Amino acid sequence: MAGLRGEYYEGPNFERKVFSRIDPQIDFNWNGRSPAPGVPREYFSVRWTDRLYAPVSGTYRFSATVDDGVRLWIG
């Protein structure tokens, strides 16, 4: 299955892993709802891992609209 492995945690600092799945794309609007079974609707963390492949060479933009914080590592 194509996508990134999402590991969902209680707490904003990856305190306790409660759920994992393959997310086909990272484009969510949880709007105050829990992102996954067993994950609180607030004060949670998600870590997506795997490889991204650019279909063509060029410049790509990553963006996020969040209310508590985001970190992005590529490479």
Side-chain angles (χ1 to χ4, degrees):
M1 177 187 277
L4 299 176
R5 171 167 296 286
E7 296 176 314
Y8 293 75
Y9 296 80
E10 284 184 1
N13 296 302
F14 307 97
E15 281 88 342
R16 186 173 79 86
K17 184 176 168 182
V18 294
F19 186 79
S20 64
R21 69 178 176 210
I22 301 297
D23 288 317
Q25 60 182 359
I26 310 305
D27 184 15
F28 298 103
N29 181 358
W30 289 309
N31 198 24
R33 295 182 309 261
S34 172
V39 179
R41 51 185 202 90
E42 291 190 32
Y43 304 111
F44 64 88
S45 309
V46 185
R47 178 179 290 133
W48 288 284
T49 56
D50 210 328
R51 297 182 185 269
L52 294 174
Y53 295 97
V56 297
S57 296
T59 301
Y60 288 85
R61 179 184 305 243
F62 295 88
S63 66
T65 303
V66 299
D67 63 353
D68 292 321
V70 66
R71 291 178 260 183
L72 175 67
W73 284 275
I74 304 289

